[in-house]
Amino acid sequence: MKYALLFALMLLANLAWAEEPPANASALGAGLVNPGYEEKPAWFKESFLDIREDIKEATAANKRAILYFYQDGCPYCTKLLKDNFGKQDIADKTQKNFDVISINMWGDRSVTDFDGKETTEKAFATDLKVQYTPTMLFLDEGGKVVLRVNGYYAPDKFELALDYSAGKHDKEGSFKDYYAKLKAEGKVASKDQTYALPGSLPAPLRLQDVRKDDKRPLMVVFAQQDCDTCDELFNDIFKRKELAYSLSNLDVVVVNPDDTSDIQTPDGKDMKIAEWAKALNIQYSPSLVFFDADGKETFRTEAYLKAFHTHGAMDYVISGAYQWQPEFQRYLQHRREVLAEHGFPADLME
């Protein structure tokens, strides 16, 4: 009798679902709720995920395509959808100039990739080295990635990214060049600000020479002067006790990607800092770029990150986890779950 009653209650619950599914229901099948699901704007393209066909259709409409990689429960994706696309001018500009195709970083839907190969969302994300959500790939008419936005950009910087691609300024140079031109023309606010971290390697920056007997990983922080997100990183996040512990396990250098001073790179090349930043394709400030003892880049962050993700990136390298877990998001997911089991639930946006 007890089991019959339980079955009847479950049946009623499923019938209630069929009549009125919850607002946050993801397309996982009848009766299933995907925690953290966020509804995409109605004007996002309903795509069959044939990427070549999507590019053709966008071109025919005098638009470009954007691949938007997300995951449910991602606070930065929520911030993008609400803070950026929640602004009518940004939503209107995006809808006018782009077809936005959403792709679940861990999804199993079928995708036809740039070469016409059948794959899945998660395999496609892996092939494109998607490590963050949101990640937005701006494509030109030939399917080339003209701008890669790894992680969340604040509305003002995100709107510049839209203008860069919609105006086809990629034909004139990189996004960094475009940003520098706007700054020189006084169209982007600028302030005189430099950043430093205690324990940083001293000048002159001869990074191979000074580290030749050093086995610690190197973290190079590229931080421009006119950078509100750099203010938050240096004046808040890096000053937290738990991050200071991790910083003690790294060699650290802070440089301005526009600086024309000399530097010896971790792999022994002599050049200007600005030339090195360009060679590394530094497009975002602040960017954290990590190198191993041999001067080889192992990992980087190049987006707006709060303390949990910044700390996670540092420990991802310090622990050597990048060598056995190539997906940073998997590493963070495990870290979050274990912390919760120890009674320390993580606030991802603190």
Side-chain angles (χ1 to χ4, degrees):
M1 188 68 184
K2 177 175 67 176
Y3 293 115
L5 179 61
L6 179 60
F7 177 78
L9 289 172
M10 291 174 64
L11 181 60
L12 286 172
N14 280 336
L15 287 172
W17 161 272
E19 291 175 2
E20 187 177 358
N24 69 337
S26 183
L28 294 179
L32 296 178
V33 179
N34 196 354
Y37 175 75
E38 287 286 346
E39 195 70 41
K40 314 299 183 296
W43 49 265
F44 273 28
K45 183 179 181 182
E46 288 292 334
S47 170
F48 293 106
L49 299 186
D50 184 330
I51 305 303
R52 296 183 303 177
E53 193 63 30
D54 286 328
I55 294 167
K56 288 179 183 177
E57 291 175 1
T59 302
N62 198 28
K63 296 182 178 184
R64 283 182 159 184
I66 297 176
L67 303 183
Y68 162 60
F69 289 88
Y70 71 94
Q71 60 179 320
D72 295 331
C74 161
Y76 299 101
C77 301
T78 300
K79 195 170 179 63
L80 173 73
L81 296 177
K82 292 184 176 179
D83 292 2
N84 293 29
F85 292 133
K87 294 181 180 294
Q88 195 61 49
D89 55 340
I90 291 181
D92 290 344
K93 181 178 289 189
T94 309
Q95 187 175 5
K96 176 184 176 182
N97 294 291
F98 300 96
D99 282 342
V100 183
I101 299 118
S102 58
I103 300 173
N104 186 339
M105 182 180 181
W106 309 117
D108 292 312
R109 288 186 301 167
S110 178
V111 175
T112 304
D113 70 11
F114 296 104
D115 299 320
K117 183 183 73 175
E118 291 292 326
T119 183
T120 63
E121 290 174 288
K122 60 188 175 187
F124 187 48
T126 298
D127 289 343
L128 291 173
K129 296 180 171 54
V130 173
Q131 293 276 18
Y132 304 95
T133 52
T135 288
M136 303 191 79
L137 303 184
F138 291 73
L139 308 178
D140 69 8
E141 295 71 18
K144 177 184 176 184
V145 178
V146 297
L147 178 61
R148 183 185 187 106
V149 175
N150 291 321
Y152 175 75
Y153 275 21
D156 55 346
K157 189 72 175 283
F158 183 72
E159 193 163 7
L160 290 179
L162 294 174
D163 292 340
Y164 171 76
S165 181
K168 302 183 180 179
H169 296 287
D170 51 277
K171 299 180 185 300
E172 304 159 9
S174 68
F175 179 59
K176 185 175 183 294
D177 296 333
Y178 174 70
Y179 186 81
K181 180 182 177 183
L182 293 180
K183 188 167 66 172
E185 294 172 350
K187 297 178 181 178
V188 176
S190 183
K191 60 185 178 181
D192 186 16
Q193 174 70 59
T194 56
Y195 301 96
L197 273 175
S200 296
L201 295 179
L205 295 176
R206 308 287 300 171
L207 298 184
Q208 186 184 63
D209 293 345
V210 77
R211 285 172 36 81
K212 60 184 178 182
D213 297 319
D214 195 344
K215 299 302 180 184
R216 281 191 298 272
L218 169 68
M219 180 180 76
V220 181
V221 185
F222 289 89
Q224 288 177 308
Q225 291 183 337
D226 54 329
C227 176
D228 291 338
T229 48
C230 300
D231 291 345
E232 182 178 353
L233 178 66
F234 282 87
N235 298 327
D236 175 13
I237 293 173
F238 277 155
K239 289 187 175 181
R240 302 187 188 193
K241 184 177 180 180
E242 61 272 22
L243 273 89
Y245 277 116
S246 290
L247 284 167
S248 70
N249 291 307
L250 293 162
D251 286 337
V252 178
V253 171
V254 181
V255 295
N256 184 334
D258 300 321
D259 192 350
T260 56
S261 301
D262 293 329
I263 191 170
Q264 181 196 57
T265 64
D267 57 353
K269 298 185 177 79
D270 290 307
M271 59 178 65
K272 306 294 184 185
I273 293 173
E275 294 173 345
W276 188 39
K278 186 173 183 179
L280 289 172
N281 195 31
I282 301 299
Q283 301 284 345
Y284 184 82
S285 191
S287 286
L288 312 181
V289 186
F290 298 87
F291 300 86
D292 63 17
D294 296 322
K296 179 182 177 182
E297 181 181 338
T298 57
F299 185 64
R300 67 169 65 187
T301 72
E302 41 193 357
Y304 174 68
L305 299 178
K306 302 293 279 186
F308 177 81
H309 288 79
T310 302
H311 193 193
M314 293 161 60
D315 285 353
Y316 182 59
V317 174
I318 293 166
S319 67
Y322 68 91
Q323 296 175 328
W324 51 264
Q325 174 50 276
E327 294 177 337
F328 180 52
Q329 292 293 338
R330 294 288 192 197
Y331 171 82
L332 289 181
Q333 180 182 355
H334 175 74
R335 182 184 181 96
R336 187 180 180 187
E337 290 170 353
V338 172
L339 284 171
E341 289 177 6
H342 282 283
F344 301 106
D347 184 342
L348 302 187
M349 297 304 288
E350 182 183 25

